[in-house]
């Protein structure tokens, strides 16, 4: 944990570019109930924007996080993904900006302006329409990627002094000409389409949907966040030492990156009580990048493991696995894995990078290539969250149950029809 007190943070934050002035906020005169404040923020978000309960919960805690982010080792990003225009991403961005600490909104920004704005202003940075410039700029993505962990949250740039470099008595240059700029601040990246994986991996990923005509929301003109901001400032002043000294909180079943992202939010939720901590953890499992990104490899790992778990078999021939994978009733459905076109060599090729290889198996009088269930244990533990493993097993069990019910009904109808025809005859 960074060893710095609130006074030092306050002094550092007072250094601002005079062209970007943030209006000072007086803290609320009364102590703040953290749970009540979070509920108030959550309600305000849902009053103006159509989004999931999980997203509203996580974003409410994130708003408070923007007031105390410098007290933790990592800062949480928000990635707002919209499949089409008019899905409310800019509205959500505006609502968050109205409540967050020192909001700085940029619909477009150069790399140089980005890190200079962060270094000078220490804002909460909101980048709208990121799809228009982020996809083609690896440098921009690099700056954003580096900015969520304080130890690596900086870039180096050459600087030129009008007076020229400093020299010692022998005439050697003593000024390296390098200047370090901070990238350390909360960020919201909103765009049409999916944000790059490296950014999503550091973010609370919020998928947006277009509002139905039956879903009414209050206009932004009715949002007055002045009282909320005053309470947030009071919260930061009253709880700063507690937040700074709290040990790291790792959310169960989150990967390392997601655990780092949600740690500062867990600390705040814990101050609000067990109900909020539980709500946030449920939201974290839903919104972390694990829940939104699958590769061909992890899909196949999940599918084969589920087949072994549901069938109770410890070994299976590859051709038997393929038959189940391709079954339209009990097989898998996947956006990343075209299981209908899989063959034995395809399975082998996909699983090889995970250290899983087919073996010669003997079952009765047959000897064929196949796989052993225990060979998947290590790869699953390393690459697939436990909650995903459990969900896939439940999914396959449910499919098999429904398939058996359909077969039983079909068999019963066939038997009844046969009995009726026999009786008629």
């Amino acid at each position: 944990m960074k060893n710095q007190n609130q006074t030092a943070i306050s002094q550092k934050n007072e250094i601002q570019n005079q062209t970007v002035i943030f209006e000072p906020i007086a803290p609320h005169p009364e102590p703040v109930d953290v749970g009540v404040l979070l509920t108030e923020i959550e309600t305000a978000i849902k009053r103006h924007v159509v989004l999931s309960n999980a997203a509203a919960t996580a974003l409410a805690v994130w708003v408070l996080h923007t007031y105390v982010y410098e007290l933790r080792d990592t800062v949480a990003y928000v990635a707002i993904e919209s499949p089409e225009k008019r899905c409310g991403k800019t509205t959500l961005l505006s609502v968050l900006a109205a409540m967050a600490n020192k909001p700085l909104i940029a619909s477009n920004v150069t790399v140089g302006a980005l890190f200079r704005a962060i270094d000078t202003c220490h804002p909460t940075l909101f980048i709208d329409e990121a799809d228009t410039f982020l996809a083609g700029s690896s440098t921009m993505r690099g700056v954003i990627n580096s900015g969520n962990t304080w130890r690596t949250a900086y870039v180096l740039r050459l600087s030129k002094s009008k007076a020229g470099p400093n020299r010692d008595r022998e005439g050697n240059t003593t000024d390296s000409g390098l200047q370090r700029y901070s990238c350390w601040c909360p960020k919201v990246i909103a765009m049409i389409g999916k944000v790059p994986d490296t950014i999503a991996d550091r973010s609370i990923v919020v998928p947006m949907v277009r509002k139905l005509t039956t879903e009414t929301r209050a206009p932004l003109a009715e949002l007055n966040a002045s009282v909320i901001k005053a309470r947030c400032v009071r919260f930061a002043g009253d709880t700063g030492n507690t937040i700074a000294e709290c040990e790291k909180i790792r959310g169960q079943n989150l990967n390392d990156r997601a655990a780092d992202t949600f740690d500062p939010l867990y600390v705040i939720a814990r101050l609000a009580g067990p109900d909020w901590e539980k709500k946030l953890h449920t939201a974290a499992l839903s919104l972390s990048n694990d829940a939104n990104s699958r590769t061909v490899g992890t899909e196949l790992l999940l599918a084969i493991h589920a087949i072994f778990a549901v069938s109770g078999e410890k070994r299976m021939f590859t051709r038997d696995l393929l038959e189940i994978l391709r079954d339209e009733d009990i097989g898998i459905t996947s956006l990343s894995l075209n299981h209908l076109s899989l063959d034995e060599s395809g399975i082998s090729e996909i699983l090889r990078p995970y250290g899983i290889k087919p073996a010669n198996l003997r079952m009765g009088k047959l000897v064929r290539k196949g796989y052993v269930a225990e060979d998947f244990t290590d790869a699953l533990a390393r690459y697939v969250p436990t909650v995903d493993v459990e969900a896939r097993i439940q999914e396959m069990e449910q499919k098999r149950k429904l398939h058996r019910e359909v077969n039983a009904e079909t068999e019963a109808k066939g038997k009844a029809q046969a009995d009726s025809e026999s009786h008629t005859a």
Side-chain angles (χ1 to χ4, degrees):
M1 190 67 59
K2 292 186 297 180
N3 184 19
Q4 60 185 59
N5 58 43
Q6 288 179 272
T7 302
I9 294 171
S10 178
Q11 291 173 346
K12 181 173 65 175
N13 288 350
E14 287 176 0
I15 304 173
Q16 297 180 358
N17 186 328
Q18 294 304 306
T19 61
V20 181
I21 300 176
F22 298 103
E23 183 179 351
I25 303 169
H28 195 270
E30 299 294 332
V32 172
D33 183 310
V34 183
V36 172
L37 177 56
L38 287 175
T39 299
E40 187 177 3
I41 298 171
E42 181 184 44
T43 301
I45 293 171
K46 295 171 72 173
R47 183 168 181 261
H48 296 277
V49 188
V50 173
L51 75 174
S52 69
N53 290 332
T57 294
L59 292 175
V61 185
W62 178 86
V63 167
L64 263 187
H65 164 61
T66 66
Y67 289 81
V68 293
Y69 74 92
E70 290 186 292
L71 300 175
R72 302 300 292 176
D73 284 342
T74 55
V75 62
Y77 293 174
V78 174
I80 303 175
E81 299 180 337
S82 179
E84 299 284 348
K85 296 178 180 179
R86 296 187 294 110
C87 288
K89 65 178 179 61
T90 302
T91 301
L92 175 58
L93 185 145
S94 299
V95 171
L96 295 178
M99 295 185 286
N101 185 35
K102 296 166 65 175
L104 184 60
I105 302 177
S107 294
N108 202 335
V109 61
T110 65
V111 174
L114 177 70
F115 62 72
R116 284 178 173 83
I118 296 171
D119 185 78
T120 304
C121 305
H122 308 280
T124 300
L125 186 66
F126 292 82
I127 305 176
D128 197 8
E129 308 295 344
D131 48 295
T132 62
F133 65 95
L134 190 60
S137 176
S138 59
T139 304
M140 179 74 75
R141 291 199 303 272
V143 171
I144 294 175
N145 290 343
S146 68
N148 79 313
T149 302
W150 74 271
R151 290 180 179 85
T152 61
Y154 62 89
V155 296
L156 293 175
R157 290 294 186 271
L158 288 172
S159 62
K160 293 182 179 181
S161 171
K162 293 182 179 179
N166 297 322
R167 298 183 183 275
D168 59 20
R169 293 182 179 179
E170 286 73 30
N172 298 317
T173 300
T174 59
D175 188 348
S176 67
L178 288 176
Q179 185 166 348
R180 176 167 156 163
Y181 295 90
S182 173
C183 302
W184 172 248
C185 76
K187 301 176 185 68
V188 178
I189 298 96
M191 61 185 291
I192 295 176
K194 293 182 69 63
V195 300
D197 286 343
T198 52
I199 294 177
D201 221 22
R202 295 160 168 80
S203 303
I204 303 165
V205 180
V206 180
M208 302 300 294
V209 295
R210 185 170 290 177
K211 183 177 65 174
L212 298 173
T213 55
T214 55
E215 294 175 315
T216 58
R217 292 295 184 270
L220 284 176
E222 296 181 9
L223 176 60
N224 184 351
S226 57
V227 175
I228 288 177
K229 297 190 75 166
R231 288 175 178 162
C232 290
V233 172
R234 178 62 187 258
F235 158 82
D238 289 348
T239 63
N241 290 334
T242 302
I243 291 173
E245 295 169 2
C246 182
E247 64 182 9
K248 183 179 175 63
I249 300 177
R250 180 186 175 87
Q252 186 178 10
N253 295 324
L254 294 178
N255 66 35
D256 289 344
R257 183 77 75 181
D260 287 343
T261 296
F262 279 91
D263 159 67
L265 275 62
Y266 279 124
V267 173
I268 294 171
R270 181 164 293 182
L271 293 174
D275 289 343
W276 262 99
E277 189 171 6
K278 183 178 180 180
K279 276 180 62 175
L280 178 64
H281 184 58
T282 301
L285 294 176
S286 173
L287 300 173
S288 68
N289 197 37
D290 275 343
N292 300 288
S293 64
R294 296 271 177 76
T295 66
V296 170
T298 55
E299 285 284 4
L300 191 57
L301 286 172
L302 274 170
I304 294 180
H305 174 74
I307 291 171
F308 278 122
V310 173
S311 67
E313 300 291 340
K314 302 298 182 184
R315 304 182 302 160
M316 292 186 73
F317 292 137
T318 307
R319 70 172 189 176
D320 295 330
L321 285 172
L322 275 171
E323 184 177 350
I324 298 174
L325 289 172
R326 292 170 175 169
D327 192 299
E328 293 184 359
D329 294 320
I330 60 176
I332 62 171
T333 55
S334 166
L335 296 176
S336 59
L337 178 63
N338 185 1
H339 52 286
L340 296 178
S341 64
L342 273 178
D343 55 22
E344 293 193 25
S345 63
I347 289 179
S348 176
E349 183 177 349
I350 294 171
L351 295 178
R352 187 179 298 113
Y354 299 95
I356 302 173
K357 299 178 180 179
N360 290 317
L361 303 180
R362 177 177 176 180
M363 298 183 193
K365 296 182 180 180
L366 298 177
V367 177
R368 290 193 175 94
K369 290 287 186 181
Y371 292 90
V372 180
E374 64 181 17
D375 289 346
F376 290 77
T377 303
D378 183 70
L380 283 165
R382 293 180 185 277
Y383 299 102
V384 184
T386 303
V387 290
D388 285 5
V389 175
E390 295 171 351
R392 181 52 59 86
I393 291 173
Q394 292 175 2
E395 177 189 13
M396 185 163 285
E397 287 177 338
Q398 181 68 10
K399 283 184 175 181
R400 288 205 166 201
K401 178 183 177 181
L402 294 174
H403 187 60
R404 287 194 297 268
E405 290 175 355
V406 170
N407 287 342
E409 291 177 2
T410 302
E411 184 177 344
K413 289 180 180 179
K415 184 178 179 181
Q417 184 177 355
D419 290 342
S420 175
E421 291 175 351
S422 175
H423 180 74
T424 301

